[in-house]
Amino acid sequence: MAPSSKSSQLSEIRVKDIEKDDAEEYSPGVEKKLIRSIDLHILPLFGLLYAVSVLDRVNLGAARVAGMGVDLELTVGDRYSIASCLYFVPYVLFQIPSSIIVQKLGPRIWLSICVTGWGAAQLGMGFVPKWGYLVLCRLFLGLFESGLLPAQVFVVSTWYKRHEVQKRVAGFYLFSILIGGFGPIIAYALTLIAPRGGLNGWQWIFVIEGAITIVVGGIAYIFFPNFPNKNRFLSEELTKIVLDRVEKDRGDAMPDEMTFTKVCTHLSDWKIWTMGIMLMCATIPTYVAGYFTPIILTSMGYTARDAMLLSAPPGVLAAFFTFVFAWISDKLRQRALLIAFQTILVIIGLTLTSYTINNGSRYFGLCLITVGSCASVPGILSYNANNVVSHTKRSISTAVIVAFAGIAGIFSTTVFRQKDYPKYLNGIWATMGCQFLLLILLGMTSYIFIRKNRLAREGKIGPLEGRQGFYYTT
């Protein structure tokens, strides 16, 4: 759908149809149609972008099973873990610079550059002759992918009210889970192209997926939405409704200027770092599932083909339950309680996968790990976005906590060591310890937020986050 001054979905809405109940309230019917149109413009494209990001990031496990491990001698020492791990170094370091750049260039231009860049890196991985070149391509992959998720979450938070955010984050995130879940099957299908072109099966995985990503980068340049005040698909009247809704919800509809002083002030807020550690803990199991599920399944005695095919169903389940949990969370306006429940699912799954003998129960454990961890990620991103005010703080805070997700990638790829194959018990124990830390932090933030909300309502402390009428989401 090409951008235009007015969306075709909104052609039936005119200024005369906008009935305001008072100075700040619009007709529910108009708001519903408007939100539906925004969803159609934003979520499918966001889902596609994040899906190719996840697919390009985690296809290393499938490529290894498909023969890359032998051709590039990745079984020597910890080469596979190193290649997996070093991706996250630029991914972590470039989060905040990327968030500053997206404020200057706008999300459409900057993210188009990022998508095209990591597509080129992915394509290059199909032609590496040695494992060192693979590591170099992975570094560029991490550099360019670092800008995507924080920008997506930030853009979504500027378009919607606080208690509309998690369903939207989960909406594009679950699409990526589905694609990621079918990633091993897609990878297996691509290996069947070999030996055409003189390439091995694992090389075709990177070549085809990299080429598709570059095309998606071009699509992003054409269709990616900007911030509400600079959008190209709504009329001025409908844009005003969007800005009025956000202003009434939290008082930061219009962007504020990014300055060095503001960056330092935002980084001094303990909530940002706490949310970052929480996302790190929640993300570790998702990387475990993405990188190691095919490998764990082969350790159960399945062939490479069956291991890649069996890697898909947990992703399908995760996609379904991620949206269910997000819907419940937005409906109840509750974040921490749902995240805690999802974390408990991960702990149960880790226990089943590690300490049961039957393949069926171990596989069910992998399903619980995938469902619980995937559902927690949009929950924590929304938990953070709901509890900060101003565009600059939301941008910086999202960048910081997504950087912690990158640290989770480093953690997961180093604690799951080749010498611990096939059970990876040290990695399982470390992952489980992080889940208990997440539960403790959820309890701590909930207590602090509930207490501060009560004191603010009683007038014993000033307005929270400097905004009259703002209260923390628990």
Side-chain angles (χ1 to χ4, degrees), residues 6-39:
K6 292 185 181 182
S7 166
S8 59
Q9 274 71 30
L10 291 172
S11 58
E12 72 275 18
I13 302 179
R14 298 289 185 269
V15 179
K16 62 183 175 59
D17 297 323
I18 301 175
E19 301 172 0
K20 298 183 69 173
D21 300 322
D22 54 41
E24 296 181 326
E25 294 293 335
Y26 294 94
S27 164
V30 170
E31 288 197 35
K32 187 175 181 180
K33 291 177 183 177
L34 176 59
I35 295 303
R36 187 184 303 123
S37 177
I38 296 170
D39 287 343

Side-chain angles (χ1 to χ4, degrees), residues 64-377:
R64 176 186 174 181
V65 171
M68 182 182 68
V70 175
D71 290 352
L72 300 185
E73 299 180 340
L74 295 181
T75 55
V76 176
D78 291 320
R79 285 183 176 181
Y80 178 75
S81 293
I82 292 171
S84 301
C85 170
L86 288 182
Y87 157 91
F88 293 101
V89 175
Y91 184 86
V92 170
L93 295 178
F94 207 59
Q95 289 290 331
I96 292 179
S98 179
S99 291
I100 295 173
I101 292 172
V102 80
Q103 290 260 11
K104 301 295 184 181
L105 295 183
R108 183 173 66 91
I109 295 175
W110 175 237
L111 290 187
S112 300
I113 294 171
C114 289
V115 176
T116 304
W118 92 61
Q122 179 80 352
L123 182 65
M125 288 167 62
F127 299 98
V128 295
K130 297 180 180 178
W131 84 282
Y133 292 102
L134 175 69
V135 171
L136 179 63
C137 288
R138 294 280 297 175
L139 288 171
F140 279 108
L141 192 69
L143 172 68
F144 285 111
E145 282 196 11
S146 65
L148 180 65
L149 183 57
Q152 286 185 303
V153 175
F154 175 43
V155 170
V156 166
S157 70
T158 64
W159 280 92
Y160 298 96
K161 292 181 179 180
R162 285 183 293 163
H163 298 295
E164 297 169 343
V165 167
Q166 187 171 342
K167 286 196 296 290
R168 273 74 193 184
V169 174
F172 73 76
Y173 188 76
L174 72 85
F175 186 63
S176 72
I177 297 171
L178 273 175
I179 297 297
F182 283 101
I185 296 178
I186 296 170
Y188 173 71
L190 294 177
T191 63
L192 300 179
I193 300 175
R196 291 182 179 86
L199 301 178
N200 294 324
W202 65 268
Q203 292 176 292
W204 277 112
I205 295 174
F206 295 129
V207 169
I208 298 298
E209 292 182 359
I212 291 173
T213 301
I214 292 173
V215 172
V216 171
I219 295 173
Y221 180 77
I222 299 172
F223 295 108
F224 199 95
N226 268 314
F227 301 119
N229 62 311
K230 295 181 180 180
N231 83 84
R232 301 184 299 165
F233 66 92
L234 294 180
S235 66
E236 290 185 11
E237 292 81 6
L238 295 172
T239 298
K240 183 179 184 303
I241 298 177
V242 174
L243 296 174
D244 284 350
R245 294 175 80 251
V246 173
E247 187 67 26
K248 181 182 177 183
D249 181 55
R250 58 177 183 266
D252 66 353
M254 297 302 294
D256 54 318
E257 184 182 358
M258 182 76 75
T259 64
F260 179 75
T261 301
K262 283 185 180 179
V263 171
C264 294
T265 301
H266 298 333
L267 291 176
S268 67
D269 189 341
W270 66 271
K271 296 191 296 297
I272 293 177
W273 302 98
T274 304
M275 295 286 182
I277 296 171
M278 288 165 59
L279 189 66
M280 181 192 74
C281 294
T283 307
I284 289 170
T286 68
Y287 285 123
V288 171
Y291 283 115
F292 294 99
T293 292
I295 299 168
I296 291 172
L297 287 170
T298 56
S299 76
M300 296 182 191
Y302 295 106
T303 64
R305 185 198 69 174
D306 291 343
M308 286 192 281
L309 295 177
L310 286 170
S311 298
V316 176
L317 281 175
F320 173 76
F321 282 106
T322 294
F323 189 77
V324 170
F325 284 130
W327 185 87
I328 294 172
S329 183
D330 276 352
K331 185 74 173 176
L332 299 179
R333 302 193 173 190
Q334 231 338 307
R335 302 292 186 226
L337 187 62
L338 273 294
I339 297 168
F341 177 74
Q342 293 149 12
T343 304
I344 292 170
L345 290 182
V346 174
I347 293 171
I348 295 171
L350 289 168
T351 304
L352 290 174
T353 301
S354 307
Y355 294 103
T356 57
I357 300 174
N358 180 271
N359 279 352
S361 60
R362 293 185 70 192
Y363 185 69
F364 179 64
L366 286 174
C367 291
L368 290 181
I369 293 170
T370 307
V371 168
S373 59
C374 287
S376 294
V377 170

